[in-house]
Coordinates of all heavy atoms in Angstrom, one line a residue:
P1 N 13.0 11.1 17.2 CA 12.8 11.7 16.0 C 11.3 11.5 15.5 O 10.8 10.4 15.8 CB 13.7 11.1 15.2 CG 14.2 9.8 16.0 CD 13.8 10.0 17.4
A2 N 10.8 12.5 14.7 CA 9.5 12.3 14.2 C 9.5 11.6 12.8 O 10.5 11.5 12.3 CB 8.9 13.8 13.9
Y3 N 8.4 10.9 12.7 CA 8.2 10.0 11.5 C 7.3 10.6 10.6 O 6.2 10.9 11.0 CB 7.9 8.6 11.8 CG 7.9 7.6 10.6 CD1 9.0 7.1 10.1 CD2 6.6 7.3 10.1 CE1 9.1 6.3 9.0 CE2 6.6 6.5 8.9 CZ 7.8 6.0 8.4 OH 7.7 5.2 7.3
G4 N 7.6 11.1 9.4 CA 6.7 11.9 8.5 C 6.1 11.1 7.4 O 5.3 11.7 6.6
K5 N 6.5 9.8 7.1 CA 5.9 9.1 6.0 C 4.5 8.6 6.4 O 4.2 8.0 7.4 CB 6.7 7.7 5.8 CG 6.5 7.2 4.5 CD 7.1 8.0 3.4 CE 7.1 7.2 2.1 NZ 7.4 8.0 0.9
A6 N 3.5 9.1 5.5 CA 2.1 8.8 5.9 C 1.4 8.3 4.5 O 1.8 8.5 3.4 CB 1.4 10.0 6.4
I7 N 0.4 7.5 4.7 CA -0.5 7.0 3.6 C -1.2 8.2 3.1 O -1.6 9.2 3.9 CB -1.3 5.8 4.1 CG1 -1.8 5.1 2.8 CG2 -2.5 6.3 4.9 CD1 -2.3 3.7 3.1
S8 N -1.5 8.2 1.8 CA -2.4 9.4 1.3 C -3.4 8.7 0.4 O -3.5 7.5 0.1 CB -1.5 10.1 0.3 OG -1.1 9.7 -0.9
S9 N -4.2 9.6 0.0 CA -5.4 9.2 -0.9 C -4.8 8.6 -2.3 O -5.6 7.7 -2.8 CB -6.3 10.3 -1.3 OG -5.6 11.4 -2.0
R10 N -3.7 8.9 -2.6 CA -3.1 8.5 -3.9 C -2.8 6.9 -3.7 O -2.9 6.1 -4.6 CB -1.8 9.2 -4.3 CG -2.2 10.6 -4.7 CD -1.0 11.4 -5.3 NE -1.4 12.6 -5.6 CZ -0.6 13.5 -6.2 NH1 0.6 13.3 -6.5 NH2 -1.0 14.8 -6.6
H11 N -2.2 6.6 -2.5 CA -2.0 5.1 -2.2 C -3.4 4.4 -2.3 O -3.4 3.3 -3.0 CB -1.5 4.9 -0.9 CG -0.2 5.5 -0.7 ND1 0.1 6.7 0.0 CD2 1.1 5.1 -1.2 CE1 1.5 7.0 0.0 NE2 2.1 6.1 -0.8
F12 N -4.4 4.9 -1.8 CA -5.7 4.2 -1.8 C -6.2 4.1 -3.1 O -6.8 3.1 -3.6 CB -6.8 4.8 -0.9 CG -6.5 4.7 0.6 CD1 -6.1 5.8 1.4 CD2 -6.5 3.4 1.1 CE1 -5.8 5.6 2.7 CE2 -6.3 3.2 2.5 CZ -5.9 4.4 3.3
D13 N -6.1 5.2 -4.0 CA -6.5 5.2 -5.4 C -5.9 4.0 -6.1 O -6.5 3.3 -6.9 CB -6.2 6.6 -6.1 CG -7.1 7.7 -5.6 OD1 -8.2 7.3 -4.9 OD2 -6.8 8.8 -5.9
A14 N -4.5 4.0 -6.0 CA -3.8 3.0 -6.7 C -4.1 1.5 -6.2 O -4.4 0.7 -7.0 CB -2.2 3.1 -6.4
M15 N -4.4 1.4 -5.0 CA -4.8 0.1 -4.4 C -6.2 -0.4 -5.0 O -6.5 -1.5 -5.4 CB -4.7 0.0 -2.9 CG -3.4 0.0 -2.4 SD -3.2 -0.3 -0.6 CE -3.5 1.3 0.0
G16 N -7.1 0.6 -5.0 CA -8.4 0.4 -5.5 C -8.5 0.2 -7.0 O -9.4 -0.7 -7.5
A17 N -7.5 0.7 -7.8 CA -7.5 0.6 -9.1 C -6.7 -0.7 -9.5 O -6.5 -1.1 -10.8 CB -6.8 1.8 -9.8
G18 N -6.0 -1.4 -8.6 CA -5.4 -2.5 -8.9 C -3.9 -2.3 -9.4 O -3.4 -3.1 -10.2
T19 N -3.4 -1.2 -9.0 CA -2.0 -0.8 -9.5 C -1.0 -1.3 -8.4 O -1.0 -1.0 -7.4 CB -2.0 0.7 -9.7 OG1 -3.0 1.2 -10.6 CG2 -0.6 1.2 -10.1
C20 N 0.1 -1.9 -8.9 CA 1.1 -2.3 -8.2 C 2.0 -1.1 -7.7 O 2.5 -0.5 -8.6 CB 1.9 -3.5 -8.7 SG 3.3 -4.2 -7.8
Q21 N 2.2 -0.9 -6.5 CA 3.0 0.1 -6.1 C 4.3 -0.2 -5.6 O 4.6 -1.3 -5.1 CB 2.4 1.0 -4.9 CG 0.9 1.5 -5.1 CD 0.4 2.1 -4.0 OE1 0.7 3.3 -3.6 NE2 -0.5 1.4 -3.3
I22 N 5.4 0.6 -6.0 CA 6.8 0.5 -5.6 C 7.0 1.7 -4.7 O 6.8 2.9 -5.1 CB 7.8 0.3 -6.7 CG1 7.6 -0.9 -7.6 CG2 9.2 0.3 -6.1 CD1 8.4 -0.9 -8.8
A23 N 7.4 1.5 -3.4 CA 7.6 2.6 -2.5 C 8.7 2.3 -1.6 O 9.0 1.2 -1.3 CB 6.4 2.9 -1.8
Y24 N 9.4 3.3 -1.1 CA 10.3 3.1 -0.1 C 9.7 2.4 1.1 O 8.5 2.8 1.5 CB 10.9 4.5 0.4 CG 11.8 5.1 -0.7 CD1 11.7 6.5 -1.0 CD2 12.9 4.4 -1.2 CE1 12.5 7.0 -2.0 CE2 13.7 4.9 -2.1 CZ 13.7 6.3 -2.5 OH 14.5 6.8 -3.4
R25 N 10.4 1.6 1.7 CA 9.9 0.9 2.9 C 9.6 1.9 4.1 O 10.2 2.9 4.2 CB 11.0 0.0 3.6 CG 10.5 -1.0 4.7 CD 11.6 -2.0 5.0 NE 12.1 -2.7 3.9 CZ 11.5 -3.9 3.6 NH1 10.4 -4.3 4.2 NH2 12.0 -4.6 2.6
G26 N 8.3 1.8 4.5 CA 7.9 2.8 5.5 C 6.7 2.2 6.3 O 6.1 1.2 6.0
R27 N 6.1 3.1 7.2 CA 5.0 2.6 8.0 C 3.6 2.9 7.4 O 2.7 2.2 7.6 CB 5.2 3.3 9.4 CG 6.3 2.6 10.1 CD 6.4 3.0 11.6 NE 5.2 3.0 12.3 CZ 4.9 3.7 13.3 NH1 5.8 4.5 13.9 NH2 3.7 3.5 14.0
F28 N 3.5 4.0 6.7 CA 2.3 4.4 6.0 C 1.1 4.3 7.0 O 0.1 3.6 6.7 CB 2.1 3.5 4.8 CG 3.1 3.7 3.7 CD1 4.2 2.8 3.6 CD2 3.1 5.0 2.8 CE1 5.1 3.1 2.6 CE2 4.0 5.0 1.9 CZ 5.1 4.1 1.8
N29 N 1.2 4.9 8.2 CA 0.2 4.8 9.2 C -0.1 3.4 9.6 O -1.3 3.2 10.1 CB -1.0 5.6 8.8 CG -0.7 7.1 8.4 OD1 -0.4 7.3 7.3 ND2 -0.9 7.9 9.5
D30 N 0.8 2.5 9.4 CA 0.6 1.1 9.8 C -0.6 0.5 9.0 O -1.3 -0.4 9.6 CB 0.5 0.9 11.3 CG 1.7 1.4 12.0 OD1 2.8 1.1 11.4 OD2 1.7 2.0 13.1
I31 N -0.9 1.0 7.8 CA -2.0 0.5 7.0 C -1.5 -0.5 6.0 O -1.9 -1.7 5.8 CB -2.8 1.5 6.5 CG1 -3.5 2.3 7.6 CG2 -3.8 1.1 5.4 CD1 -4.3 3.5 7.1
M32 N -0.4 0.0 5.3 CA 0.2 -0.9 4.3 C 1.3 -1.6 4.8 O 2.0 -1.0 5.6 CB 0.6 0.0 3.0 CG -0.4 0.6 2.2 SD 0.1 1.3 0.6 CE 1.7 1.9 0.8
T33 N 1.5 -2.8 4.4 CA 2.5 -3.8 4.9 C 3.6 -3.9 3.8 O 3.2 -4.3 2.7 CB 2.1 -5.0 5.4 OG1 1.1 -4.7 6.5 CG2 3.2 -5.9 5.9
A34 N 4.8 -3.8 4.0 CA 5.8 -3.9 3.0 C 5.8 -5.3 2.4 O 5.7 -6.3 3.1 CB 7.2 -3.5 3.6
D35 N 6.0 -5.4 1.1 CA 6.1 -6.7 0.4 C 4.8 -7.4 0.5 O 4.7 -8.6 0.2 CB 7.3 -7.5 0.8 CG 8.5 -6.7 0.4 OD1 8.6 -6.2 -0.7 OD2 9.4 -6.7 1.1
E36 N 3.8 -6.9 1.2 CA 2.4 -7.5 1.1 C 1.4 -6.6 0.3 O 0.7 -7.1 -0.5 CB 1.9 -7.8 2.5 CG 0.5 -8.4 2.4 CD -0.1 -8.6 3.9 OE1 0.8 -8.4 4.9 OE2 -1.3 -8.8 4.0
H37 N 1.6 -5.4 0.5 CA 0.6 -4.4 -0.2 C 1.4 -3.5 -1.1 O 0.8 -2.9 -1.8 CB -0.1 -3.5 0.9 CG -0.9 -4.3 1.8 ND1 -0.7 -4.3 3.2 CD2 -1.9 -5.2 1.6 CE1 -1.5 -5.1 3.8 NE2 -2.2 -5.8 2.9
Y38 N 2.7 -3.5 -1.1 CA 3.4 -2.8 -1.9 C 4.8 -3.4 -2.0 O 5.2 -4.1 -1.1 CB 3.7 -1.3 -1.7 CG 4.4 -1.0 -0.4 CD1 5.7 -0.6 -0.5 CD2 3.9 -1.1 0.9 CE1 6.4 -0.4 0.7 CE2 4.5 -0.9 2.0 CZ 5.8 -0.5 2.0 OH 6.5 -0.1 3.1
L39 N 5.5 -3.2 -3.2 CA 6.9 -3.7 -3.3 C 7.8 -2.7 -2.6 O 7.8 -1.6 -2.9 CB 7.4 -3.9 -4.8 CG 6.6 -4.9 -5.6 CD1 6.8 -4.8 -6.9 CD2 6.8 -6.3 -5.0
A40 N 8.6 -3.2 -1.5 CA 9.4 -2.3 -0.7 C 10.7 -2.1 -1.3 O 11.5 -3.0 -1.4 CB 9.4 -2.8 0.7
L41 N 11.0 -0.8 -1.5 CA 12.4 -0.4 -2.0 C 13.2 0.3 -0.8 O 12.6 1.1 -0.2 CB 12.1 0.6 -3.2 CG 13.4 1.1 -3.9 CD1 14.1 -0.1 -4.7 CD2 13.0 2.2 -4.8
E42 N 14.3 -0.3 -0.7 CA 15.2 0.2 0.4 C 15.7 1.7 -0.2 O 15.9 1.9 -1.3 CB 16.4 -0.7 0.5 CG 16.1 -2.1 1.0 CD 15.3 -2.1 2.4 OE1 15.3 -1.2 3.2 OE2 14.6 -3.1 2.6
R43 N 15.9 2.5 0.9 CA 16.4 3.9 0.6 C 17.7 3.9 -0.1 O 17.9 4.9 -1.0 CB 16.4 4.7 1.8 CG 15.0 5.0 2.4 CD 14.8 6.4 2.9 NE 13.5 6.7 3.2 CZ 12.7 7.4 2.4 NH1 13.1 7.8 1.3 NH2 11.5 7.6 2.7
D44 N 18.6 3.0 0.2 CA 19.9 3.0 -0.5 C 19.8 2.3 -2.0 O 20.9 2.1 -2.6 CB 20.9 2.4 0.4 CG 20.7 0.9 0.7 OD1 19.7 0.3 0.2 OD2 21.5 0.4 1.4
L45 N 18.7 1.9 -2.2 CA 18.4 1.3 -3.6 C 19.0 -0.1 -3.7 O 19.3 -0.6 -4.8 CB 18.7 2.1 -4.7 CG 18.0 3.4 -4.8 CD1 18.4 4.3 -6.0 CD2 16.5 3.3 -4.7
S46 N 19.6 -0.7 -2.5 CA 20.3 -2.0 -2.6 C 19.5 -3.2 -3.2 O 20.1 -4.1 -3.6 CB 20.8 -2.2 -1.2 OG 19.8 -2.3 -0.3
N47 N 18.2 -3.0 -3.0 CA 17.3 -4.1 -3.6 C 16.6 -3.7 -4.9 O 15.6 -4.4 -5.2 CB 16.4 -4.5 -2.4 CG 15.3 -3.5 -2.2 OD1 15.5 -2.3 -2.3 ND2 14.2 -3.9 -1.6
A48 N 16.9 -2.7 -5.4 CA 16.3 -2.2 -6.7 C 16.1 -3.3 -7.8 O 15.1 -3.4 -8.4 CB 16.9 -1.0 -7.3
D49 N 17.3 -4.0 -8.1 CA 17.1 -5.1 -9.1 C 16.1 -6.1 -8.7 O 15.4 -6.5 -9.5 CB 18.6 -5.8 -9.4 CG 19.5 -4.8 -10.0 OD1 19.1 -3.8 -10.7 OD2 20.8 -5.0 -9.9
A50 N 16.1 -6.5 -7.5 CA 15.2 -7.6 -7.0 C 13.8 -7.0 -7.1 O 12.8 -7.8 -7.5 CB 15.5 -8.0 -5.6
V51 N 13.4 -5.7 -6.8 CA 12.1 -5.1 -6.9 C 11.6 -5.1 -8.3 O 10.6 -5.4 -8.6 CB 12.2 -3.7 -6.2 CG1 10.8 -3.0 -6.5 CG2 12.3 -3.8 -4.6
I52 N 12.6 -4.8 -9.2 CA 12.2 -4.6 -10.6 C 11.9 -6.0 -11.1 O 10.9 -6.2 -11.9 CB 13.2 -3.9 -11.3 CG1 13.4 -2.4 -11.0 CG2 13.0 -4.1 -12.9 CD1 14.6 -1.7 -11.6
A53 N 12.6 -7.0 -10.7 CA 12.4 -8.3 -11.2 C 11.1 -8.8 -10.6 O 10.3 -9.5 -11.3 CB 13.6 -9.4 -10.6
R54 N 10.7 -8.5 -9.4 CA 9.5 -8.9 -8.8 C 8.3 -8.1 -9.5 O 7.2 -8.7 -9.8 CB 9.4 -8.6 -7.3 CG 10.2 -9.5 -6.5 CD 10.3 -9.2 -5.0 NE 9.1 -9.3 -4.5 CZ 8.6 -8.7 -3.4 NH1 9.4 -7.8 -2.7 NH2 7.4 -8.8 -2.9
F55 N 8.6 -6.9 -9.8 CA 7.6 -6.1 -10.5 C 7.3 -6.7 -12.0 O 6.0 -6.8 -12.4 CB 8.0 -4.6 -10.6 CG 7.0 -3.8 -11.3 CD1 5.9 -3.2 -10.7 CD2 7.0 -3.5 -12.7 CE1 5.0 -2.5 -11.3 CE2 6.1 -2.6 -13.3 CZ 5.0 -2.1 -12.7
K56 N 8.3 -7.1 -12.6 CA 8.1 -7.8 -14.0 C 7.4 -9.1 -14.0 O 7.0 -9.7 -15.0 CB 9.4 -8.0 -14.6 CG 10.1 -6.6 -15.1 CD 11.4 -6.8 -15.7 CE 12.1 -5.5 -16.3 NZ 13.4 -5.9 -16.9
D57 N 7.4 -9.8 -12.8 CA 6.7 -11.0 -12.6 C 5.2 -10.9 -12.5 O 4.7 -10.5 -11.5 CB 7.3 -11.6 -11.4 CG 6.7 -13.2 -11.1 OD1 5.5 -13.4 -11.4 OD2 7.4 -13.9 -10.7
R58 N 4.5 -11.3 -13.4 CA 3.0 -11.0 -13.4 C 2.4 -11.6 -12.2 O 1.4 -11.1 -11.5 CB 2.3 -11.6 -14.7 CG 0.9 -11.3 -14.9 CD 0.4 -11.8 -16.2 NE 1.1 -11.0 -17.2 CZ 0.5 -10.7 -18.4 NH1 -0.7 -11.2 -18.7 NH2 1.1 -10.0 -19.3
G59 N 2.8 -12.7 -11.8 CA 2.1 -13.5 -10.6 C 2.5 -12.7 -9.3 O 1.5 -12.6 -8.6
E60 N 3.5 -12.2 -9.2 CA 4.0 -11.4 -8.1 C 3.2 -10.2 -8.0 O 2.7 -9.8 -6.9 CB 5.5 -11.2 -8.0 CG 6.0 -10.4 -6.9 CD 5.8 -11.2 -5.4 OE1 5.3 -12.2 -5.4 OE2 6.3 -10.5 -4.4
R61 N 3.1 -9.4 -9.1 CA 2.2 -8.3 -9.2 C 0.8 -8.5 -8.8 O 0.3 -7.8 -8.1 CB 2.4 -7.6 -10.6 CG 3.5 -6.6 -10.8 CD 3.3 -5.8 -12.0 NE 2.5 -6.4 -13.1 CZ 3.1 -7.0 -14.2 NH1 4.2 -7.2 -14.2 NH2 2.2 -7.4 -15.2
S62 N 0.3 -9.6 -9.4 CA -1.0 -10.0 -9.1 C -1.2 -10.2 -7.6 O -2.2 -9.8 -7.0 CB -1.5 -11.2 -9.9 OG -2.8 -11.5 -9.7
R63 N -0.3 -10.9 -6.9 CA -0.3 -11.2 -5.5 C -0.4 -10.0 -4.6 O -1.2 -9.7 -3.8 CB 0.8 -12.0 -5.0 CG 0.8 -12.5 -3.6 CD 2.0 -13.2 -3.2 NE 3.2 -12.3 -3.1 CZ 3.4 -11.4 -2.0 NH1 2.5 -11.4 -1.1 NH2 4.5 -10.7 -2.1
I64 N 0.5 -9.0 -5.0 CA 0.6 -7.8 -4.3 C -0.7 -6.9 -4.5 O -1.2 -6.4 -3.5 CB 1.9 -7.0 -4.8 CG1 3.1 -7.6 -4.3 CG2 1.8 -5.5 -4.4 CD1 3.6 -7.5 -2.9
T65 N -1.0 -6.7 -5.8 CA -2.2 -5.8 -6.1 C -3.5 -6.5 -5.5 O -4.5 -5.8 -4.9 CB -2.5 -5.6 -7.5 OG1 -2.5 -6.9 -8.1 CG2 -1.3 -4.9 -8.1
G66 N -3.6 -7.8 -5.5 CA -4.8 -8.5 -4.9 C -4.8 -8.4 -3.4 O -5.9 -8.0 -2.9
A67 N -3.7 -8.5 -2.7 CA -3.7 -8.3 -1.4 C -4.0 -6.9 -0.9 O -4.8 -6.5 0.0 CB -2.4 -8.7 -0.7
A68 N -3.5 -5.9 -1.7 CA -3.8 -4.5 -1.4 C -5.3 -4.1 -1.6 O -5.8 -3.6 -0.7 CB -2.8 -3.6 -2.2
Y69 N -5.8 -4.7 -2.8 CA -7.3 -4.4 -3.0 C -8.2 -5.0 -1.9 O -9.0 -4.3 -1.5 CB -7.5 -5.0 -4.4 CG -9.0 -4.7 -4.8 CD1 -9.3 -3.6 -5.4 CD2 -9.9 -5.8 -4.6 CE1 -10.7 -3.3 -5.8 CE2 -11.2 -5.5 -5.0 CZ -11.6 -4.3 -5.6 OH -12.9 -4.0 -6.0
E70 N -7.9 -6.2 -1.6 CA -8.7 -6.8 -0.5 C -8.6 -6.1 0.8 O -9.6 -6.0 1.5 CB -8.2 -8.3 -0.2 CG -8.5 -9.2 -1.5 CD -9.8 -9.7 -1.6 OE1 -10.4 -10.0 -0.6 OE2 -10.2 -9.9 -2.8
M71 N -7.4 -5.6 1.2 CA -7.3 -5.0 2.4 C -8.0 -3.6 2.4 O -8.7 -3.3 3.3 CB -5.8 -4.6 2.6 CG -5.5 -3.9 4.0 SD -5.4 -2.1 3.8 CE -4.0 -1.9 2.7
V72 N -7.9 -2.8 1.3 CA -8.7 -1.6 1.1 C -10.2 -1.8 1.1 O -10.9 -1.1 1.9 CB -8.3 -0.8 -0.3 CG1 -9.2 0.2 -0.6 CG2 -6.8 -0.3 -0.1
M73 N -10.8 -2.8 0.4 CA -12.1 -3.0 0.3 C -12.6 -3.6 1.7 O -13.9 -3.3 2.0 CB -12.4 -4.1 -0.9 CG -12.1 -3.5 -2.2 SD -12.8 -1.8 -2.5 CE -14.4 -2.0 -2.7
A74 N -11.8 -4.2 2.4 CA -12.3 -4.8 3.7 C -12.4 -3.7 4.8 O -13.1 -3.9 5.8 CB -11.4 -5.8 4.2
G75 N -11.7 -2.6 4.6 CA -11.8 -1.7 5.8 C -11.4 -0.2 5.6 O -11.2 0.5 6.5
H76 N -11.2 0.2 4.3 CA -10.7 1.6 4.0 C -11.3 2.2 2.9 O -10.7 2.9 2.1 CB -9.1 1.5 3.7 CG -8.4 1.0 5.0 ND1 -8.2 1.7 6.0 CD2 -7.8 -0.2 5.2 CE1 -7.5 1.1 6.9 NE2 -7.3 -0.1 6.4
T77 N -12.8 2.0 2.7 CA -13.4 2.7 1.7 C -14.1 4.0 2.4 O -14.1 4.1 3.6 CB -14.6 1.8 1.1 OG1 -15.5 1.5 2.1 CG2 -14.0 0.5 0.6
Y78 N -14.6 4.8 1.6 CA -15.5 5.9 2.0 C -16.5 5.5 3.0 O -16.8 6.1 4.0 CB -15.9 6.7 0.9 CG -15.0 7.6 0.2 CD1 -14.8 7.5 -1.1 CD2 -14.3 8.7 0.9 CE1 -13.7 8.3 -1.8 CE2 -13.3 9.4 0.3 CZ -13.0 9.2 -0.9 OH -12.1 9.9 -1.8
R79 N -17.2 4.4 2.6 CA -18.3 3.9 3.5 C -17.8 3.5 4.9 O -18.3 3.9 5.8 CB -18.9 2.6 2.8 CG -20.0 2.0 3.7 CD -20.6 0.8 3.2 NE -21.9 0.8 3.5 CZ -23.0 0.7 2.7 NH1 -22.7 0.7 1.3 NH2 -24.2 0.8 3.1
H80 N -16.6 2.9 5.1 CA -16.0 2.6 6.3 C -15.8 3.8 7.0 O -16.0 3.9 8.2 CB -14.7 1.8 6.1 CG -14.9 0.5 5.6 ND1 -14.6 0.0 4.3 CD2 -15.5 -0.7 6.1 CE1 -14.9 -1.2 4.1 NE2 -15.4 -1.7 5.2
R81 N -15.2 4.8 6.4 CA -14.9 6.1 7.0 C -16.2 6.8 7.6 O -16.2 7.3 8.6 CB -14.1 7.0 6.2 CG -12.8 6.5 5.7 CD -11.8 6.6 6.7 NE -10.4 6.2 6.2 CZ -10.0 5.0 6.2 NH1 -10.6 3.9 6.9 NH2 -8.7 4.7 5.8
A82 N -17.2 6.8 6.7 CA -18.5 7.5 7.2 C -19.1 6.7 8.2 O -19.6 7.3 9.2 CB -19.4 7.5 6.0
E83 N -19.1 5.3 8.3 CA -19.6 4.6 9.3 C -18.9 4.8 10.6 O -19.5 4.9 11.7 CB -19.6 3.0 9.0 CG -20.7 2.8 7.9 CD -20.7 1.3 7.4 OE1 -19.6 0.7 7.7 OE2 -21.6 0.9 6.7
A84 N -17.6 4.9 10.5 CA -16.7 5.2 11.8 C -17.1 6.5 12.3 O -17.3 6.8 13.6 CB -15.3 5.2 11.5
M85 N -17.3 7.6 11.3 CA -17.7 8.9 11.9 C -19.0 8.9 12.6 O -19.2 9.6 13.6 CB -17.6 10.0 10.8 CG -16.2 10.3 10.3 SD -16.0 11.4 9.1 CE -17.6 12.2 8.7
L86 N -20.0 8.3 11.9 CA -21.4 8.1 12.4 C -21.3 7.4 13.8 O -22.1 7.7 14.8 CB -22.2 7.5 11.4 CG -22.6 8.4 10.3 CD1 -23.4 7.5 9.2 CD2 -23.4 9.6 10.6
A87 N -20.6 6.4 14.0 CA -20.5 5.6 15.2 C -20.0 6.6 16.4 O -20.5 6.4 17.6 CB -19.6 4.5 15.1
C88 N -19.1 7.5 16.1 CA -18.6 8.5 17.1 C -19.6 9.4 17.6 O -19.6 9.9 18.7 CB -17.4 9.2 16.4 SG -15.9 8.3 16.3
L89 N -20.6 9.7 16.6 CA -21.8 10.6 17.0 C -22.8 10.0 17.8 O -23.7 10.6 18.3 CB -22.3 11.2 15.7 CG -21.3 12.1 14.9 CD1 -21.9 12.5 13.6 CD2 -20.8 13.2 15.6
A90 N -23.0 8.6 17.8 CA -24.1 7.9 18.3 C -23.9 7.8 19.8 O -22.9 7.9 20.5 CB -24.2 6.5 17.7

């Protein structure tokens, strides 16, 4: 079966802006890691209460948004993309 869940510019915008994301658990092109870069919600919503509790916890939100921001700034900016394209041309 094909897997259609992909990361989008909206995910990067949120991470760059320091916004804590809640998303269904997924691969997101293997860029974002569940419960490290976003609060992972199960499709059956079985963990919804726990996710909401974690979201309400300022320290947990800060941990998630900090890890996501660091990851984006370390390797997923427009500069990183441009340098990768230029390296292919060299």
Side-chain angles (χ1 to χ4, degrees):
Y3 184 78
K5 193 74 166 172
I7 198 162
S8 76
S9 60
R10 291 182 182 189
H11 294 107
F12 289 114
D13 290 344
M15 289 185 280
T19 301
C20 185
Q21 300 178 79
I22 298 173
Y24 288 126
R25 186 177 301 277
R27 290 185 50 200
F28 298 99
N29 301 88
D30 299 325
I31 293 173
M32 293 193 324
T33 302
D35 296 318
E36 181 180 345
H37 303 121
Y38 69 98
L39 296 172
L41 185 62
E42 300 299 335
R43 289 220 172 259
D44 65 1
L45 306 179
S46 61
N47 68 333
D49 289 340
V51 169
I52 291 168
R54 289 176 64 205
F55 183 81
K56 288 180 178 180
D57 180 328
R58 184 176 293 209
E60 180 66 354
R61 270 196 332 269
S62 181
R63 184 188 72 77
I64 293 285
T65 58
Y69 182 83
E70 296 281 327
M71 183 267 299
V72 165
M73 297 310 290
H76 297 283
T77 65
Y78 285 119
R79 174 182 219 121
H80 292 110
R81 299 289 186 258
E83 288 173 352
M85 287 181 8
L86 290 173
C88 288
L89 299 174

